[in-house]
PDB file of all heavy atoms in Angstrom:
ATOM      1  N   LYS A 125     -35.405 -11.222  11.484  1.00 97.00           N
ATOM      2  CA  LYS A 125     -35.373 -12.471  12.243  1.00 97.00           C
ATOM      3  C   LYS A 125     -34.435 -13.485  11.592  1.00 97.00           C
ATOM      4  O   LYS A 125     -33.694 -14.205  12.282  1.00 97.00           O
ATOM      5  CB  LYS A 125     -36.787 -13.033  12.357  1.00 97.00           C
ATOM      6  CG  LYS A 125     -36.926 -14.234  13.296  1.00 97.00           C
ATOM      7  CD  LYS A 125     -38.392 -14.572  13.524  1.00 97.00           C
ATOM      8  CE  LYS A 125     -39.054 -13.477  14.318  1.00 97.00           C
ATOM      9  NZ  LYS A 125     -40.446 -13.833  14.707  1.00 97.00           N
ATOM     10  N   ILE A 126     -34.452 -13.522  10.273  1.00 97.00           N
ATOM     11  CA  ILE A 126     -33.565 -14.453   9.561  1.00 97.00           C
ATOM     12  C   ILE A 126     -32.104 -14.064   9.780  1.00 97.00           C
ATOM     13  O   ILE A 126     -31.247 -14.928   9.991  1.00 97.00           O
ATOM     14  CB  ILE A 126     -33.905 -14.475   8.054  1.00 97.00           C
ATOM     15  CG1 ILE A 126     -35.275 -15.136   7.835  1.00 97.00           C
ATOM     16  CG2 ILE A 126     -32.835 -15.240   7.268  1.00 97.00           C
ATOM     17  CD1 ILE A 126     -35.769 -15.075   6.407  1.00 97.00           C
ATOM     18  N   ILE A 127     -31.816 -12.745   9.761  1.00 97.00           N
ATOM     19  CA  ILE A 127     -30.435 -12.324  10.030  1.00 97.00           C
ATOM     20  C   ILE A 127     -30.038 -12.660  11.462  1.00 97.00           C
ATOM     21  O   ILE A 127     -28.918 -13.124  11.712  1.00 97.00           O
ATOM     22  CB  ILE A 127     -30.238 -10.814   9.780  1.00 97.00           C
ATOM     23  CG1 ILE A 127     -30.517 -10.454   8.337  1.00 97.00           C
ATOM     24  CG2 ILE A 127     -28.804 -10.413  10.137  1.00 97.00           C
ATOM     25  CD1 ILE A 127     -30.223  -9.006   7.997  1.00 97.00           C
ATOM     26  N   TYR A 128     -30.948 -12.430  12.390  1.00 96.00           N
ATOM     27  CA  TYR A 128     -30.673 -12.784  13.795  1.00 96.00           C
ATOM     28  C   TYR A 128     -30.273 -14.255  13.880  1.00 96.00           C
ATOM     29  O   TYR A 128     -29.262 -14.610  14.498  1.00 96.00           O
ATOM     30  CB  TYR A 128     -31.925 -12.530  14.638  1.00 96.00           C
ATOM     31  CG  TYR A 128     -31.786 -12.888  16.105  1.00 96.00           C
ATOM     32  CD1 TYR A 128     -31.586 -11.902  17.060  1.00 96.00           C
ATOM     33  CD2 TYR A 128     -31.869 -14.215  16.535  1.00 96.00           C
ATOM     34  CE1 TYR A 128     -31.462 -12.219  18.399  1.00 96.00           C
ATOM     35  CE2 TYR A 128     -31.739 -14.555  17.867  1.00 96.00           C
ATOM     36  CZ  TYR A 128     -31.541 -13.557  18.800  1.00 96.00           C
ATOM     37  OH  TYR A 128     -31.409 -13.882  20.134  1.00 96.00           O
ATOM     38  N   PHE A 129     -31.047 -15.093  13.258  1.00 97.00           N
ATOM     39  CA  PHE A 129     -30.790 -16.534  13.290  1.00 97.00           C
ATOM     40  C   PHE A 129     -29.457 -16.857  12.611  1.00 97.00           C
ATOM     41  O   PHE A 129     -28.609 -17.568  13.173  1.00 97.00           O
ATOM     42  CB  PHE A 129     -31.935 -17.268  12.577  1.00 97.00           C
ATOM     43  CG  PHE A 129     -31.817 -18.764  12.602  1.00 97.00           C
ATOM     44  CD1 PHE A 129     -32.425 -19.510  13.602  1.00 97.00           C
ATOM     45  CD2 PHE A 129     -31.099 -19.439  11.614  1.00 97.00           C
ATOM     46  CE1 PHE A 129     -32.322 -20.891  13.628  1.00 97.00           C
ATOM     47  CE2 PHE A 129     -30.992 -20.812  11.619  1.00 97.00           C
ATOM     48  CZ  PHE A 129     -31.596 -21.548  12.640  1.00 97.00           C
ATOM     49  N   ALA A 130     -29.254 -16.323  11.407  1.00 97.00           N
ATOM     50  CA  ALA A 130     -28.030 -16.613  10.654  1.00 97.00           C
ATOM     51  C   ALA A 130     -26.798 -16.103  11.384  1.00 97.00           C
ATOM     52  O   ALA A 130     -25.737 -16.750  11.376  1.00 97.00           O
ATOM     53  CB  ALA A 130     -28.119 -15.988   9.263  1.00 97.00           C
ATOM     54  N   ASP A 131     -26.923 -14.964  12.015  1.00 94.00           N
ATOM     55  CA  ASP A 131     -25.809 -14.394  12.782  1.00 94.00           C
ATOM     56  C   ASP A 131     -25.429 -15.302  13.950  1.00 94.00           C
ATOM     57  O   ASP A 131     -24.241 -15.578  14.194  1.00 94.00           O
ATOM     58  CB  ASP A 131     -26.213 -13.005  13.291  1.00 94.00           C
ATOM     59  CG  ASP A 131     -25.086 -12.285  13.996  1.00 94.00           C
ATOM     60  OD1 ASP A 131     -24.901 -12.527  15.208  1.00 94.00           O
ATOM     61  OD2 ASP A 131     -24.389 -11.472  13.357  1.00 94.00           O
ATOM     62  N   GLU A 132     -26.430 -15.794  14.672  1.00 92.00           N
ATOM     63  CA  GLU A 132     -26.173 -16.698  15.800  1.00 92.00           C
ATOM     64  C   GLU A 132     -25.524 -18.000  15.319  1.00 92.00           C
ATOM     65  O   GLU A 132     -24.608 -18.529  15.963  1.00 92.00           O
ATOM     66  CB  GLU A 132     -27.485 -17.003  16.539  1.00 92.00           C
ATOM     67  CG  GLU A 132     -28.098 -15.813  17.258  1.00 92.00           C
ATOM     68  CD  GLU A 132     -27.341 -15.456  18.521  1.00 92.00           C
ATOM     69  OE1 GLU A 132     -26.727 -16.356  19.125  1.00 92.00           O
ATOM     70  OE2 GLU A 132     -27.360 -14.265  18.902  1.00 92.00           O
ATOM     71  N   ILE A 133     -25.987 -18.511  14.198  1.00 95.00           N
ATOM     72  CA  ILE A 133     -25.436 -19.760  13.668  1.00 95.00           C
ATOM     73  C   ILE A 133     -23.993 -19.563  13.221  1.00 95.00           C
ATOM     74  O   ILE A 133     -23.133 -20.414  13.449  1.00 95.00           O
ATOM     75  CB  ILE A 133     -26.296 -20.282  12.491  1.00 95.00           C
ATOM     76  CG1 ILE A 133     -27.717 -20.582  12.965  1.00 95.00           C
ATOM     77  CG2 ILE A 133     -25.656 -21.525  11.872  1.00 95.00           C
ATOM     78  CD1 ILE A 133     -27.805 -21.549  14.128  1.00 95.00           C
ATOM     79  N   GLU A 134     -23.703 -18.432  12.589  1.00 93.00           N
ATOM     80  CA  GLU A 134     -22.336 -18.185  12.125  1.00 93.00           C
ATOM     81  C   GLU A 134     -21.373 -18.094  13.302  1.00 93.00           C
ATOM     82  O   GLU A 134     -20.268 -18.662  13.263  1.00 93.00           O
ATOM     83  CB  GLU A 134     -22.281 -16.895  11.306  1.00 93.00           C
ATOM     84  CG  GLU A 134     -21.065 -16.773  10.385  1.00 93.00           C
ATOM     85  CD  GLU A 134     -19.780 -16.437  11.105  1.00 93.00           C
ATOM     86  OE1 GLU A 134     -19.835 -15.793  12.181  1.00 93.00           O
ATOM     87  OE2 GLU A 134     -18.695 -16.800  10.604  1.00 93.00           O
ATOM     88  N   VAL A 135     -21.765 -17.404  14.355  1.00 89.00           N
ATOM     89  CA  VAL A 135     -20.907 -17.296  15.537  1.00 89.00           C
ATOM     90  C   VAL A 135     -20.757 -18.665  16.212  1.00 89.00           C
ATOM     91  O   VAL A 135     -19.661 -19.027  16.666  1.00 89.00           O
ATOM     92  CB  VAL A 135     -21.472 -16.252  16.528  1.00 89.00           C
ATOM     93  CG1 VAL A 135     -20.670 -16.245  17.830  1.00 89.00           C
ATOM     94  CG2 VAL A 135     -21.465 -14.868  15.889  1.00 89.00           C
ATOM     95  N   LEU A 136     -21.846 -19.414  16.260  1.00 90.00           N
ATOM     96  CA  LEU A 136     -21.783 -20.778  16.786  1.00 90.00           C
ATOM     97  C   LEU A 136     -20.811 -21.621  15.957  1.00 90.00           C
ATOM     98  O   LEU A 136     -19.989 -22.366  16.502  1.00 90.00           O
ATOM     99  CB  LEU A 136     -23.177 -21.403  16.756  1.00 90.00           C
ATOM    100  CG  LEU A 136     -23.325 -22.843  17.271  1.00 90.00           C
ATOM    101  CD1 LEU A 136     -23.109 -22.872  18.776  1.00 90.00           C
ATOM    102  CD2 LEU A 136     -24.703 -23.389  16.912  1.00 90.00           C
ATOM    103  N   PHE A 137     -20.891 -21.460  14.648  1.00 91.00           N
ATOM    104  CA  PHE A 137     -20.053 -22.241  13.742  1.00 91.00           C
ATOM    105  C   PHE A 137     -18.571 -21.905  13.930  1.00 91.00           C
ATOM    106  O   PHE A 137     -17.729 -22.807  14.012  1.00 91.00           O
ATOM    107  CB  PHE A 137     -20.463 -21.956  12.290  1.00 91.00           C
ATOM    108  CG  PHE A 137     -19.673 -22.717  11.271  1.00 91.00           C
ATOM    109  CD1 PHE A 137     -20.076 -23.985  10.878  1.00 91.00           C
ATOM    110  CD2 PHE A 137     -18.519 -22.188  10.711  1.00 91.00           C
ATOM    111  CE1 PHE A 137     -19.353 -24.708   9.943  1.00 91.00           C
ATOM    112  CE2 PHE A 137     -17.787 -22.892   9.769  1.00 91.00           C
ATOM    113  CZ  PHE A 137     -18.202 -24.161   9.391  1.00 91.00           C
ATOM    114  N   ARG A 138     -18.242 -20.620  14.003  1.00 86.00           N
ATOM    115  CA  ARG A 138     -16.834 -20.230  14.096  1.00 86.00           C
ATOM    116  C   ARG A 138     -16.224 -20.560  15.460  1.00 86.00           C
ATOM    117  O   ARG A 138     -15.016 -20.625  15.601  1.00 86.00           O
ATOM    118  CB  ARG A 138     -16.646 -18.749  13.778  1.00 86.00           C
ATOM    119  CG  ARG A 138     -17.127 -17.798  14.827  1.00 86.00           C
ATOM    120  CD  ARG A 138     -16.639 -16.372  14.572  1.00 86.00           C
ATOM    121  NE  ARG A 138     -16.919 -15.918  13.223  1.00 86.00           N
ATOM    122  CZ  ARG A 138     -15.979 -15.700  12.316  1.00 86.00           C
ATOM    123  NH1 ARG A 138     -14.712 -15.905  12.603  1.00 86.00           N
ATOM    124  NH2 ARG A 138     -16.308 -15.275  11.113  1.00 86.00           N
ATOM    125  N   ASN A 139     -17.070 -20.757  16.461  1.00 86.00           N
ATOM    126  CA  ASN A 139     -16.557 -21.094  17.788  1.00 86.00           C
ATOM    127  C   ASN A 139     -16.595 -22.593  18.077  1.00 86.00           C
ATOM    128  O   ASN A 139     -16.315 -23.020  19.199  1.00 86.00           O
ATOM    129  CB  ASN A 139     -17.335 -20.328  18.866  1.00 86.00           C
ATOM    130  CG  ASN A 139     -16.960 -18.860  18.914  1.00 86.00           C
ATOM    131  OD1 ASN A 139     -16.005 -18.469  19.574  1.00 86.00           O
ATOM    132  ND2 ASN A 139     -17.718 -18.026  18.198  1.00 86.00           N
ATOM    133  N   ASN A 140     -16.972 -23.378  17.086  1.00 87.00           N
ATOM    134  CA  ASN A 140     -16.979 -24.847  17.215  1.00 87.00           C
ATOM    135  C   ASN A 140     -16.409 -25.444  15.934  1.00 87.00           C
ATOM    136  O   ASN A 140     -16.561 -24.887  14.852  1.00 87.00           O
ATOM    137  CB  ASN A 140     -18.403 -25.377  17.416  1.00 87.00           C
ATOM    138  CG  ASN A 140     -18.987 -24.966  18.750  1.00 87.00           C
ATOM    139  OD1 ASN A 140     -18.821 -25.634  19.755  1.00 87.00           O
ATOM    140  ND2 ASN A 140     -19.705 -23.837  18.756  1.00 87.00           N
ATOM    141  N   LYS A 141     -15.772 -26.571  16.046  1.00 82.00           N
ATOM    142  CA  LYS A 141     -15.220 -27.244  14.865  1.00 82.00           C
ATOM    143  C   LYS A 141     -16.159 -28.383  14.472  1.00 82.00           C
ATOM    144  O   LYS A 141     -15.915 -29.541  14.804  1.00 82.00           O
ATOM    145  CB  LYS A 141     -13.806 -27.743  15.144  1.00 82.00           C
ATOM    146  CG  LYS A 141     -12.802 -26.629  15.422  1.00 82.00           C
ATOM    147  CD  LYS A 141     -11.395 -27.175  15.540  1.00 82.00           C
ATOM    148  CE  LYS A 141     -10.397 -26.061  15.809  1.00 82.00           C
ATOM    149  NZ  LYS A 141     -10.317 -25.084  14.719  1.00 82.00           N
ATOM    150  N   PHE A 142     -17.239 -28.019  13.791  1.00 88.00           N
ATOM    151  CA  PHE A 142     -18.212 -29.022  13.383  1.00 88.00           C
ATOM    152  C   PHE A 142     -17.651 -29.869  12.242  1.00 88.00           C
ATOM    153  O   PHE A 142     -17.164 -29.348  11.247  1.00 88.00           O
ATOM    154  CB  PHE A 142     -19.517 -28.366  12.941  1.00 88.00           C
ATOM    155  CG  PHE A 142     -20.247 -27.656  14.045  1.00 88.00           C
ATOM    156  CD1 PHE A 142     -20.404 -26.279  14.011  1.00 88.00           C
ATOM    157  CD2 PHE A 142     -20.765 -28.366  15.114  1.00 88.00           C
ATOM    158  CE1 PHE A 142     -21.078 -25.620  15.016  1.00 88.00           C
ATOM    159  CE2 PHE A 142     -21.436 -27.708  16.139  1.00 88.00           C
ATOM    160  CZ  PHE A 142     -21.595 -26.333  16.090  1.00 88.00           C
ATOM    161  N   THR A 143     -17.755 -31.161  12.390  1.00 89.00           N
ATOM    162  CA  THR A 143     -17.324 -32.077  11.327  1.00 89.00           C
ATOM    163  C   THR A 143     -18.493 -32.837  10.721  1.00 89.00           C
ATOM    164  O   THR A 143     -18.345 -33.499   9.692  1.00 89.00           O
ATOM    165  CB  THR A 143     -16.291 -33.086  11.861  1.00 89.00           C
ATOM    166  OG1 THR A 143     -16.855 -33.808  12.962  1.00 89.00           O
ATOM    167  CG2 THR A 143     -15.024 -32.366  12.308  1.00 89.00           C
ATOM    168  N   THR A 144     -19.658 -32.759  11.366  1.00 92.00           N
ATOM    169  CA  THR A 144     -20.859 -33.402  10.827  1.00 92.00           C
ATOM    170  C   THR A 144     -22.035 -32.447  10.929  1.00 92.00           C
ATOM    171  O   THR A 144     -22.090 -31.596  11.821  1.00 92.00           O
ATOM    172  CB  THR A 144     -21.214 -34.695  11.589  1.00 92.00           C
ATOM    173  OG1 THR A 144     -21.650 -34.361  12.920  1.00 92.00           O
ATOM    174  CG2 THR A 144     -20.014 -35.629  11.654  1.00 92.00           C
ATOM    175  N   THR A 145     -22.982 -32.602  10.034  1.00 91.00           N
ATOM    176  CA  THR A 145     -24.175 -31.761  10.066  1.00 91.00           C
ATOM    177  C   THR A 145     -25.050 -32.082  11.274  1.00 91.00           C
ATOM    178  O   THR A 145     -25.797 -31.221  11.747  1.00 91.00           O
ATOM    179  CB  THR A 145     -24.988 -31.944   8.773  1.00 91.00           C
ATOM    180  OG1 THR A 145     -25.312 -33.331   8.609  1.00 91.00           O
ATOM    181  CG2 THR A 145     -24.204 -31.459   7.572  1.00 91.00           C
ATOM    182  N   LYS A 146     -24.953 -33.294  11.765  1.00 91.00           N
ATOM    183  CA  LYS A 146     -25.730 -33.670  12.944  1.00 91.00           C
ATOM    184  C   LYS A 146     -25.299 -32.867  14.166  1.00 91.00           C
ATOM    185  O   LYS A 146     -26.132 -32.404  14.956  1.00 91.00           O
ATOM    186  CB  LYS A 146     -25.592 -35.168  13.219  1.00 91.00           C
ATOM    187  CG  LYS A 146     -26.452 -35.650  14.386  1.00 91.00           C
ATOM    188  CD  LYS A 146     -26.331 -37.159  14.574  1.00 91.00           C
ATOM    189  CE  LYS A 146     -27.193 -37.642  15.740  1.00 91.00           C
ATOM    190  NZ  LYS A 146     -27.088 -39.108  15.949  1.00 91.00           N
ATOM    191  N   GLU A 147     -23.971 -32.702  14.317  1.00 92.00           N
ATOM    192  CA  GLU A 147     -23.466 -31.896  15.428  1.00 92.00           C
ATOM    193  C   GLU A 147     -24.004 -30.478  15.359  1.00 92.00           C
ATOM    194  O   GLU A 147     -24.445 -29.903  16.367  1.00 92.00           O
ATOM    195  CB  GLU A 147     -21.932 -31.855  15.388  1.00 92.00           C
ATOM    196  CG  GLU A 147     -21.229 -33.150  15.705  1.00 92.00           C
ATOM    197  CD  GLU A 147     -19.727 -33.000  15.547  1.00 92.00           C
ATOM    198  OE1 GLU A 147     -19.261 -32.733  14.418  1.00 92.00           O
ATOM    199  OE2 GLU A 147     -19.021 -33.136  16.559  1.00 92.00           O
ATOM    200  N   LEU A 148     -23.959 -29.911  14.164  1.00 92.00           N
ATOM    201  CA  LEU A 148     -24.449 -28.548  13.972  1.00 92.00           C
ATOM    202  C   LEU A 148     -25.932 -28.456  14.280  1.00 92.00           C
ATOM    203  O   LEU A 148     -26.393 -27.520  14.947  1.00 92.00           O
ATOM    204  CB  LEU A 148     -24.175 -28.106  12.538  1.00 92.00           C
ATOM    205  CG  LEU A 148     -24.738 -26.735  12.120  1.00 92.00           C
ATOM    206  CD1 LEU A 148     -24.167 -25.622  12.979  1.00 92.00           C
ATOM    207  CD2 LEU A 148     -24.442 -26.468  10.641  1.00 92.00           C
ATOM    208  N   SER A 149     -26.705 -29.431  13.834  1.00 92.00           N
ATOM    209  CA  SER A 149     -28.143 -29.432  14.063  1.00 92.00           C
ATOM    210  C   SER A 149     -28.486 -29.497  15.544  1.00 92.00           C
ATOM    211  O   SER A 149     -29.376 -28.791  16.025  1.00 92.00           O
ATOM    212  CB  SER A 149     -28.785 -30.603  13.320  1.00 92.00           C
ATOM    213  OG  SER A 149     -30.178 -30.621  13.513  1.00 92.00           O
TER     214      SER A 149
END
Side-chain angles (χ1 to χ4, degrees):
K125 188 170 292 187
I126 291 174
I127 299 185
Y128 179 102
F129 183 93
D131 185 275
E132 293 286 332
I133 298 304
E134 200 284 332
V135 174
L136 180 69
F137 181 88
R138 73 168 51 248
N139 286 274
N140 292 272
K141 296 186 180 297
F142 294 114
T143 57
T144 69
T145 56
K146 184 177 180 180
E147 291 176 297
L148 175 60
S149 181

